[in-house]
Amino acid sequence: MIETSRLILRPFKLSDHADMLEYQSNPDVVRYVPWPVRTPEQVQEALEKGLSCTKLEKQGDSVLLSIELKENKKVVGQTNLYFISEKNKYAEFGYVINPAYSGNGYITEAAKALITWAFQNNDLHRIAAVMDQRNPKSRAVCERLGLRLEASYKEDDFFKGEWTSTWIFAILKREWEALS
């Protein structure tokens, strides 16, 4: 569990189903994420699968955390971290928020806490976010966090039936520590 002034980032619980369904069934939310609009059954399946994503011990592991508001225990989104390379000590992170709670700085707060936790508790050298260039809000989060734009690829990903372009934002551990 990771705590900030307004949020608790924690592993999902089966009781989070209704909150997850609110945003995972929303076409606007899933437009830039690698899963479709989910039915209640698909949310349940993803929830059950995600319960085991709690540590980064080896390449391929991931951490999936709910973003819960302290004030009312409402799950308003999720964040994740994928251990891409043991050799290169490299991980990638992502985030999703229920649009009803967008614009309050929750994603920036959650991502900052996740990156801090990741560098402090795991042997990582570099963390990056890979995103669709049609999602300027995601880019703004990375810029607010102090990540640098490292790459801009043109039509490099055939995503949900169309060619899309991606950005890669990243930061090194020593750079992150200098920001803190």
Side-chain angles (χ1 to χ4, degrees):
M1 182 172 67
I2 304 168
E3 208 168 319
T4 71
S5 61
R6 303 181 297 164
L7 307 172
I8 295 173
L9 306 179
R10 59 160 176 80
F12 277 95
K13 301 182 283 194
L14 292 175
S15 59
D16 295 327
H17 184 271
D19 289 345
M20 283 180 73
L21 182 61
E22 280 183 37
Y23 62 89
Q24 290 194 2
S25 64
N26 184 323
D28 292 330
V29 172
V30 303
R31 180 174 182 200
Y32 307 115
V33 296
W35 25 270
V37 171
R38 288 182 171 160
T39 64
E41 295 78 22
Q42 289 169 318
V43 170
Q44 184 67 32
E45 182 181 319
L47 181 56
E48 290 172 6
K49 182 179 177 188
L51 294 177
S52 64
C53 299
T54 59
K55 54 190 162 205
L56 300 180
E57 292 179 343
K58 63 186 182 319
Q59 188 169 306
D61 284 352
S62 62
V63 171
L64 174 63
L65 301 172
S66 67
I67 301 171
E68 179 183 277
L69 299 180
K70 278 185 176 179
E71 66 183 2
N72 61 10
K73 305 296 183 201
K74 171 83 173 166
V75 172
V76 297
Q78 62 192 63
T79 187
N80 53 46
L81 186 70
Y82 297 102
F83 194 8
I84 303 296
S85 172
E86 285 181 64
K87 176 184 173 241
N88 296 317
K89 300 180 180 189
Y90 169 62
E92 292 179 358
F93 76 104
Y95 35 82
V96 176
I97 191 161
N98 182 329
Y101 297 89
S102 184
N104 294 298
Y106 295 136
I107 288 295
T108 302
E109 187 175 329
K112 182 177 183 179
L114 178 70
I115 294 169
T116 299
W117 172 86
F119 279 134
Q120 289 176 351
N121 296 283
N122 301 277
D123 188 22
L124 295 173
H125 174 68
R126 180 173 179 273
I127 295 176
V130 179
M131 69 199 66
D132 192 310
Q133 288 185 20
R134 298 171 299 171
N135 189 355
K137 288 182 179 181
S138 192
R139 178 185 178 134
V141 168
C142 287
E143 289 172 341
R144 279 193 299 275
L145 291 168
L147 278 69
R148 110 189 115 266
L149 176 62
E150 289 192 334
S152 178
Y153 294 109
K154 187 79 169 170
E155 294 185 10
D156 63 317
D157 190 19
F158 193 72
F159 184 74
K160 296 187 177 180
E162 63 182 312
W163 286 106
T164 61
S165 302
T166 57
W167 287 312
I168 299 176
F169 280 82
I171 195 158
L172 302 177
K173 182 177 183 176
R174 69 175 177 269
E175 294 170 328
W176 186 257
E177 290 171 343
L179 291 175
S180 301

